[in-house]
């Protein structure tokens, strides 16, 4: 591996796959050879990496021979199908799907949150859910300082969570509505343009969606806090690709707004955007295509009789920190 | 008043004023004579009421002679300016602005929540903030059954909160973005199309906005709960005219999802829309132009170790229940 790593991107034509390729280039990841893999349908298309045109190949069990790192973003079923071949080839799979996230032998990693967990890997490292990753980049440093106990979250999630087809549907549907044309929702359960949908992923019998329960379970795993309490309402809104979250946080210890600002200011992967007088606060339009999660609207929670509560608001690029960037950062740790 | 009331609508050309006129007609309010008032700029325009064309007059201190009920939605300054003239004329002012809401001698009323307070009026009755009104229609019946202690709210507010110009800006700006044209935000502090803005009304020095503090102060007043705890994050999203809210509620007593559904099912002014398996939950597209607030996504709060917590989601028409309808309902109580 003198000249770097042999890297494969599985799901190279998807919204996240495309950003994985861009992110490998932009961050100057030491790539010796880049293999782009997709379904038979996309094989033969091309993509550009550092000025070179690379042909996209159909993914088969043979694809991973000689590969060191395989970045997967092709859905959980594909990840499950190819895991044995990847491990057999001696490659490390960095998987963006939810297939293995809660498996005991698979580290679930956000490099700013729990880089140490990466060492436990047995061939597979999981990327967390995008909403959880964006939240924890801001919340983990506050937790390390003050001890996190409980989160009440409400999310404002972008169309990109449903991939390129989600973004396309929002754009096309918006124009159809403006033009008074009929619409036909496909990527989402209902109309998203000029509307919101309080439903992401499937419903569990306790009334929460899987997406909402990921916020609980993945946070517990990554923060090593088995008793952390999290309630969440996940909502899709008509925004293209950055997720935002209103977070009400409870800590073991007192925390002030100034302390929180100082912690966020020094933390990696998160940028303090918190100057209300200048109308400066996190917004998806500003977080789009940024590596850092934006954090602001930091307030002492006035719905408590103590100083252990904080309200914050975050925005982060769902496709980058929520997926492609985080996967490349994991590869960098390797 | 044998044949009904002499009614004036002040601010008859605004988004709320227009809906007030429609609502008086649709609910068949007993109007003897309808006077439509606006600024000099709008005087001379006309509006239709029950098939009749009514000329809009410039509002002066003389306008209220003979008027029984004056519905005001022309901004707080106008309400303050004309209050003495309205009271002198013996009319009752039902005011949609925030000018008098927290005054001790002004009842703040949502008819489904605290109709009894109306009796205390001394010539002025205030309409609450739209976000508070929509929330309390769903929360008040739960409070009456189980004793409300604390609310953590995150809102998803429509462009209509900034009036007709807010809705126009969202529509025009969306088309400009789709067409790759430059945009120039005016009604809102930033771009709203395909974005969100976590900032409504001005900032207080504790970091909360006035809009967020209204949720606390107006709820305390209307529920007669001086110790109620409320924290709120108010966010403008690219939706036209219905507000939604993710509400995390804490009660004095245990409450189950089934109890909550039964309470909402029986409560006036709110409709239970809570069938996740059928993808049925509150959405602004469905709440628009409806009198009832929609309430669903009812869950036992899993971030607590007891049964006193509930998560719910509501959507309500900001222009109707949040403003015009509530004002007419107050008039009906009179």
């Amino acid at each position: 591996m003198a000249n770097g790593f042999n890297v494969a991107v599985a799901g190279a034509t998807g919204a996240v796959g495309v950003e994985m390729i861009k992110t490998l280039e932009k961050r100057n990841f030491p790539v010796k050879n880049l293999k782009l893999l997709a379904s038979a349908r996309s094989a033969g298309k091309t993509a550009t990496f550092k000025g070179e045109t690379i042909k996209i190949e159909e993914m088969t069990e043979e694809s991973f021979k000689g590969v060191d790192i395989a970045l997967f973003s092709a859905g959980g079923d594909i990840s499950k199908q190819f895991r044995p071949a990847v491990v057999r080839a001696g490659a490390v799979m960095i998987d963006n799907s939810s297939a293995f996230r809660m498996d005991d032998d698979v580290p679930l990693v956000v490099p700013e949150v729990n880089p140490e967990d990466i060492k436990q890997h047995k061939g597979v490292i999981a990327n967390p859910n995008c909403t959880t990753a964006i939240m924890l980049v801001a919340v983990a440093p506050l937790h390390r300082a003050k001890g996190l106990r409980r989160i009440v979250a409400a999310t404002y999630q972008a169309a990109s969570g449903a991939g390129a087809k989600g973004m396309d549907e929002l754009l096309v549907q918006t124009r159809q509505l403006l033009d008074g044309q009929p619409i036909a929702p496909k990527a989402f359960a209902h109309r998203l343009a000029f509307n919101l949908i309080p439903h992401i992923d499937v419903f569990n019998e306790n009334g929460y969606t899987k997406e909402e329960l990921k916020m609980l379970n993945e946070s517990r795993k990554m923060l090593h806090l088995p008793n952390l309490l999290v309630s969440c309402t996940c909502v899709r809104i008509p925004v293209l690709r950055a997720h935002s979250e209103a977070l009400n946080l409870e800590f073991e210890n007192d925390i002030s707004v100034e302390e929180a600002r100082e912690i966020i200011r020094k933390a990696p992967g998160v940028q303090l955007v918190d100057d209300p007088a200048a109308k400066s606060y996190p917004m998806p339009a500003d977080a789009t295509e940024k590596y850092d999660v934006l954090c602001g609207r930091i307030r002492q929670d006035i719905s408590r009789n103590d100083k252990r509560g904080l309200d914050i608001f975050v925005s982060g690029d769902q496709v980058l920190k929520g997926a492609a960037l985080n996967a490349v950062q994991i590869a960098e740790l390797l």
Side-chain angles (χ1 to χ4, degrees), chain A residues 31-332:
Chain A
V31 175
K32 190 157 66 181
N33 183 267
L34 182 64
K35 203 173 229 183
L36 302 184
L37 304 170
S39 64
R41 196 163 35 88
S42 295
K45 291 183 184 173
T46 60
T48 308
F49 178 69
K50 293 191 174 178
E52 254 182 85
T53 301
I54 303 180
K55 201 178 236 178
I56 293 167
E57 303 169 38
E58 180 181 351
M59 181 156 45
T60 70
E61 302 219 340
E62 309 307 306
S63 303
F64 302 97
K65 278 187 183 151
V67 166
D68 302 309
I69 295 170
L71 304 174
F72 266 72
S73 184
D77 289 342
I78 302 290
S79 296
K80 282 182 196 163
Q81 183 187 337
F82 287 95
R83 176 182 183 167
V86 172
V87 173
R88 222 182 303 127
V92 178
M93 174 189 251
I94 301 173
D95 183 35
N96 193 49
S97 84
S98 63
F100 315 120
R101 283 181 193 151
M102 297 310 295
D103 290 3
D104 283 340
D105 60 346
V106 174
L108 180 67
V109 176
V110 170
E112 294 90 343
V113 174
N114 58 334
E116 68 284 3
D117 288 356
I118 217 165
K119 292 178 207 141
Q120 320 291 327
H121 87 80
K122 294 184 175 65
V124 182
I125 301 163
N127 229 9
N129 175 265
C130 48
T131 318
T132 313
I134 288 165
M135 172 171 80
L136 289 190
V137 172
V139 168
L142 299 169
H143 160 61
R144 281 192 288 270
K146 298 294 179 175
L148 187 65
R149 287 177 55 173
R150 181 177 183 234
I151 302 172
V152 175
T155 73
Y156 303 73
Q157 295 182 232
S160 58
K165 69 178 190 307
M167 289 188 275
D168 289 347
E169 179 157 311
L170 175 58
L171 288 171
V172 169
Q173 193 176 77
T174 301
R175 195 180 279 278
Q176 286 169 331
L177 277 175
L178 288 175
D179 292 344
Q181 291 169 6
I183 61 154
K186 273 174 65 182
F188 303 108
H190 301 275
R191 175 186 123 196
L192 181 59
F194 304 112
N195 193 25
L196 62 74
I197 309 172
H199 168 197
I200 298 176
D201 209 332
V202 300
F203 283 99
N204 188 288
E205 58 188 25
N206 66 359
Y208 285 83
T209 61
K210 263 198 183 176
E211 181 87 357
E212 290 160 356
L213 296 174
K214 286 174 191 169
M215 290 281 269
L216 167 66
N217 295 320
E218 297 185 12
S219 297
R220 284 181 170 179
K221 179 167 177 174
M222 282 190 282
L223 296 175
H224 308 288
L225 283 177
N227 298 318
L228 178 67
L229 297 169
V230 181
S231 183
C232 182
T233 302
C234 285
V235 180
R236 186 83 67 198
I237 65 163
V239 158
L240 284 166
R241 64 175 263 179
H243 286 358
S244 303
E245 306 174 27
L247 304 173
N248 178 274
L249 307 172
E250 178 185 320
F251 297 93
E252 301 281 354
N253 301 294
D254 287 4
I255 182 166
S256 71
V257 170
E258 268 322 309
E259 283 178 301
R261 285 187 174 151
E262 203 45 38
I263 291 165
I264 295 294
R265 207 176 270 127
K266 290 179 182 160
V270 56
Q271 190 186 328
L272 183 72
V273 180
D274 195 17
D275 186 357
K279 296 179 183 174
S280 174
Y281 26 72
M283 295 191 294
D286 293 334
T288 295
E289 295 187 35
K290 281 220 179 68
Y291 286 157
D292 281 352
V293 170
L294 311 182
C295 177
R297 294 296 327 268
I298 301 178
R299 290 154 287 162
Q300 189 93 60
D301 175 3
I302 51 169
S303 72
R304 301 179 62 85
N305 295 317
D306 59 32
K307 303 285 182 195
R308 297 182 183 177
L310 214 59
D311 277 291
I312 70 174
F313 196 80
V314 298
S315 294
D317 189 303
Q318 185 269 327
V319 190
L320 290 176
K321 188 61 208 175
L325 170 66
N326 198 68
V328 173
Q329 285 177 303
I330 291 172
E332 289 169 354

